Amino acid sequence: MTLEHESMERENKIQGNFITNIIDNDIRNNKNNGKVVTRFPPEPNGYLHIGHAKSICLNFGIALLYNGRCHLRFDDTNPEKEDQKYIDAIMTDVHWLGFDWGEHLHYTSDYFERLYSFALTLIEQGKAYVCSLSPDEIRKYRGTLTEPGIESPYRSRSIVENMDLFQRMRSGEFEEGAHVLRAKIDMASPNIALRDPTLYRIKQAHHPRTGQKWTIYPMYDFSHCLSDAIEGITHSICTLEFENNRPLYDWFLDQLPVPCHPQQIEFARLNLTYTVMSKRILLKLVSNGHVSGWDDPRMPTIAGLRRRGYTKEAIRMFCERIGVAKRDSMVEMALLEHCLRDDLNTRAPRVMAVLHPIKVIILNLPEGEVIPLQALNHPEKPEMGDRTIYFSREIYIDQEDFMENPPKKFYRLSPGREVRLRYAFIIKCESIIKDQQTGDITELHCTYDPLTQSGSGAQDRKVKATIHWLSAIHAIPADVRLYDTLFNVENPAAAIEHEPLENLINPKSLEVLTTCFVESELSQSKPGVIYQFERIGYFCLDSNDSGKLVFNRTVSLKDQWAKIQKQSM
Ligand code: ATP
Ligand code: MG
């Protein structure tokens, strides 16, 4: 078994939760002949986000746990908002997360004909009618939580008339909004979902898959339960906002001759601090140009996270750790980042990079002389091997690692002081060269102690700090993009109710550094391979680079999670 396989096996085992308890019980009672079939049903009107990942891990995870199967079903009943590009992106993302639907790729639109005949059956049974109230009137007649609804004057239409009108709705005879098909349930029900909900509305729209064939489209409540039943889904897992619709889900299945009666189970959706999960708002961020696209590395989309350098293992670990509950809550972004660091720490190869370079001249190393040194690719994992780096007369260190007038606790480089260069030698700062006009430091002049080569054991002279560096003639220039949260408030979804979107965007969410250097090793790097730039953070090559290397900061090294946990205890 490969390492990759082993970790996947481990991740496939999801921990028990209230949903697995329900399924365990069903299996004990031989409900559904002990079978478990779930589905992930995205609407192809946007890219998948980290909230969807929770649902994907849950649905596919349960199927794996019980040797069942999980279908991917595109809930494509809103043709104006849907697009093939979203369908393609969703399939890419589910596969990337490591899940497979096998031959069970389905579309609600595949069932349009069957759904239509189910609607005819309801009309025949006197349980559905064509209503000709305007959308506004329907809303008004629906009543409120405290007031019962009012019956539509069209509720008493005869079965024959309903049949005729509904068939003519299908044949495209009417304008949008002229009629809808509604279930005849109970306008006085305390559950508003049961007050004669709409089953079909007229839409003169081009559908990505069925083209112009249909002019009526089924509503979610009607199509979803029936699609589940058609596919033999046993457990239809959805988010909490559908709890009130469960009686309706069951009502349709009870009235109609369906092959099985799936069970709807609701769980709490994922909310994450400093971001939004609403596809409507994500679309707005993209179309208003607040981000560069659905896969902008600041987006909470799977495509954005992937481009940022998130691994599927980290996302799956996160989904596992947040668990599955019945009550809505807000999860800290710090936890997602903590899971990412946990994963990357064990396997990201280490390299050196200098983001804010300052040039250092090694006075006692002649020009043209190059000393090869061995650097470990992972200090705790010798099996990850080592590489050769080079020490030469001109090197770069980070501006942060030098101070002309250091405070007491600053142990890195300063005039007259020594510091160790990672995998190399101890150097001492002899003098500072400044720009005559600006007074800015342009170079540091140092000497190195040849007897202090790392790992040589020749002389174990201790200094208090070790810093990263690069040989100037070997280093490669690069751009580095530093990311921060896209929003400047913890709960942007709530803030958007009373503030314009642009006020909530963090102006510092992207900082581009254009004078960085990286180890020559990285000229071979590929998008999706994540490195730890020693002492700085985790980085990966951006997929949209042009000529110059462009790196995205995946995540910094500083983990806030432990601190947040301590505070909340
Ligand atoms: P909308 O209905 O606004 O278009 P949606 O996020 O519900 O957006 P869907 O495509 O319907 O989008 O979602 C597909 C599945 O993912 C649904 O079963 C839904 O319950 C689940 N899902 C969506 N958002 C989250 C979330 N934040 N946490 C967990 N599951 C989610
Ligand atoms: Mg939805």
Side-chain angles (χ1 to χ4, degrees):
M1 208 186 265
T2 63
L3 214 81
E4 164 100 322
H5 252 101
E6 256 174 48
S7 70
M8 294 289 278
E9 283 277 296
R10 178 168 48 80
E11 282 154 29
N12 287 343
K13 304 245 180 313
I14 63 165
Q15 64 188 14
N17 54 52
F18 81 94
I19 299 179
T20 57
N21 291 346
I22 293 174
I23 297 175
D24 288 338
N25 205 35
D26 288 347
I27 289 174
R28 264 195 297 280
N29 297 325
N30 203 32
K31 194 177 165 187
N32 312 306
N33 295 320
K35 274 200 310 200
V36 176
V37 185
T38 57
R39 86 285 170 267
F40 173 64
E43 186 181 347
N45 61 353
Y47 276 55
L48 296 181
H49 52 59
I50 181 79
H52 291 117
K54 176 178 180 180
S55 175
I56 292 167
C57 290
L58 181 61
N59 279 294
F60 282 93
I62 282 178
L64 285 163
L65 187 65
Y66 293 98
N67 277 321
R69 55 175 209 262
C70 179
H71 299 186
L72 175 63
R73 183 197 314 141
F74 287 103
D75 185 22
D76 54 348
T77 55
N78 273 312
E80 302 104 321
K81 290 186 181 160
E82 297 161 5
D83 202 303
Q84 184 62 40
K85 73 169 182 229
Y86 297 131
I87 293 179
D88 297 339
I90 288 170
M91 292 201 281
T92 301
D93 290 348
V94 176
H95 270 152
W96 180 75
L97 282 172
F99 298 109
D100 191 21
W101 50 87
E103 59 199 21
H104 290 283
L105 173 62
H106 302 296
Y107 295 84
T108 304
S109 58
D110 291 343
Y111 313 134
F112 279 174
E113 206 60 63
R114 287 164 87 177
L115 295 172
Y116 178 76
S117 64
F118 278 131
L120 291 179
T121 305
L122 279 181
I123 296 174
E124 269 163 11
Q125 294 173 344
K127 289 171 185 159
Y129 62 98
V130 173
C131 179
S132 311
L133 291 176
S134 70
D136 262 355
E137 288 168 322
I138 291 183
R139 214 167 299 129
K140 255 187 243 147
Y141 279 50
R142 193 174 291 136
T144 62
L145 281 174
T146 50
E147 279 170 58
I150 303 165
E151 291 188 356
S152 160
Y154 303 100
R155 203 174 197 260
S156 50
R157 271 180 171 147
S158 71
I159 291 175
V160 177
E161 192 186 356
N162 283 323
M163 280 294 212
D164 173 60
L165 282 171
F166 187 52
Q167 277 157 1
R168 285 163 60 198
M169 277 169 68
R170 176 181 180 166
S171 61
E173 208 173 294
F174 306 117
E175 294 291 303
E176 285 188 21
H179 309 284
V180 293
L181 184 72
R182 296 176 70 175
K184 196 188 272 188
I185 309 180
D186 179 7
M187 286 307 289
S189 171
N191 182 348
I192 296 178
L194 294 177
R195 294 184 189 168
D196 292 9
T198 300
L199 310 188
Y200 272 89
R201 72 272 198 231
I202 299 169
K203 261 183 205 278
Q204 316 282 355
H206 178 90
H207 187 284
R209 290 174 59 82
T210 59
Q212 305 292 120
K213 183 168 178 208
W214 291 89
T215 51
I216 53 172
Y217 289 94
M219 301 296 286
Y220 176 90
D221 283 322
F222 181 66
S223 61
H224 203 82
C225 54
L226 293 168
S227 304
D228 282 347
I230 289 169
E231 290 178 17
I233 302 298
T234 57
H235 300 85
S236 178
I237 301 165
C238 64
T239 35
L240 274 183
E241 69 271 24
F242 293 104
E243 199 168 19
N244 288 335
N245 301 50
R246 184 170 4 111
L248 185 55
Y249 184 101
D250 290 330
W251 187 86
F252 288 123
L253 297 180
D254 287 340
Q255 313 307 314
L256 290 163
V258 286
C260 65
H261 191 136
Q263 180 182 1
Q264 176 179 306
I265 305 169
E266 309 86 19
F267 72 102
R269 63 170 49 233
L270 168 67
N271 300 302
L272 200 57
T273 55
Y274 296 102
T275 191
V276 293
M277 297 290 166
S278 150
K279 278 192 272 183
R280 194 178 48 81
I281 301 172
L282 294 176
L283 177 63
K284 215 165 156 189
L285 290 170
V286 174
S287 45
N288 292 2
H290 293 300
V291 294
S292 64
W294 284 97
D295 69 343
D296 186 296
R298 291 164 292 176
M299 290 281 270
T301 52
I302 306 294
L305 294 170
R306 177 169 59 236
R307 194 170 153 196
R308 173 90 169 250
Y310 272 78
T311 59
K312 62 175 185 288
E313 288 81 1
I315 294 176
R316 288 170 64 156
M317 191 198 304
F318 170 73
C319 291
E320 183 63 35
R321 286 206 43 184
I322 55 177
V324 180
K326 258 291 195 201
R327 200 172 336 141
D328 272 319
S329 67
M330 185 71 103
V331 175
E332 297 282 348
M333 180 67 93
L335 176 59
L336 177 62
E337 294 186 343
H338 171 79
C339 293
L340 180 61
R341 287 188 190 96
D342 235 29
D343 182 44
L344 295 181
N345 181 38
T346 58
R347 56 201 186 114
R350 272 58 171 168
V351 291
M352 290 196 279
V354 177
L355 302 195
H356 301 97
I358 174 168
K359 190 173 267 186
V360 176
I361 309 291
I362 309 293
L363 300 170
N364 55 341
L365 192 63
E367 192 129 12
E369 193 170 319
V370 170
I371 301 175
L373 300 158
Q374 290 312 109
L376 290 172
N377 293 335
H378 195 300
E380 285 122 54
K381 289 194 159 179
E383 68 273 20
M384 283 176 69
D386 57 10
R387 64 190 188 284
T388 305
I389 58 172
Y390 301 94
F391 185 58
S392 64
R393 183 174 166 86
E394 289 191 11
I395 67 169
Y396 296 119
I397 65 167
D398 246 308
Q399 280 166 21
E400 279 192 359
D401 289 328
F402 176 80
M403 279 188 102
E404 189 174 1
N405 302 300
K408 228 180 169 183
K409 291 237 159 121
F410 186 86
Y411 299 120
R412 288 163 283 167
L413 201 60
S414 54
R417 292 244 215 114
E418 288 187 322
V419 76
R420 175 170 282 287
L421 297 179
R422 182 85 163 138
Y423 297 120
F425 302 93
I426 291 175
I427 60 169
K428 180 177 179 191
C429 180
E430 309 286 356
S431 59
I432 304 172
I433 312 298
K434 290 185 178 171
D435 183 302
Q436 297 282 334
Q437 255 111 60
T438 63
D440 292 343
I441 297 172
T442 54
E443 272 177 16
L444 301 176
H445 286 183
C446 298
T447 50
Y448 88 110
D449 180 348
L451 297 179
T452 57
Q453 183 173 339
S454 289
S456 69
Q459 189 181 334
D460 258 343
R461 185 140 64 77
K462 289 262 183 297
V463 285
K464 280 210 165 126
T466 300
I467 63 172
H468 57 276
W469 59 280
L470 288 170
S471 159
I473 50 166
H474 298 92
I476 301 175
D479 285 359
V480 170
R481 298 182 185 149
L482 303 178
Y483 298 103
D484 195 356
T485 56
L486 186 53
F487 290 95
N488 54 20
V489 290
E490 199 169 88
N491 187 353
I496 277 165
E497 303 289 322
H498 43 83
E499 279 244 33
L501 182 62
E502 32 287 340
N503 292 5
L504 304 172
I505 306 247
N506 176 6
K508 296 198 184 113
S509 64
L510 170 62
E511 186 188 351
V512 184
L513 308 178
T514 56
T515 56
C516 311
F517 289 98
V518 298
E519 228 175 271
S520 58
E521 183 84 3
L522 289 173
S523 61
Q524 305 301 321
S525 72
K526 292 193 176 62
V529 182
I530 298 94
Y531 295 88
Q532 186 191 99
F533 289 0
E534 291 210 28
R535 302 180 61 236
I536 306 175
Y538 294 97
F539 292 79
C540 73
L541 190 72
D542 189 77
S543 38
N544 292 10
D545 56 332
S546 55
K548 197 173 177 191
L549 293 175
V550 179
F551 286 90
N552 291 325
R553 181 169 68 190
T554 306
V555 69
S556 66
L557 290 179
K558 196 164 162 204
D559 198 333
Q560 305 283 352
W561 177 239
K563 198 169 137 202
I564 289 175
Q565 262 185 323
K566 224 180 256 159
Q567 279 166 359
S568 64
M569 278 186 356

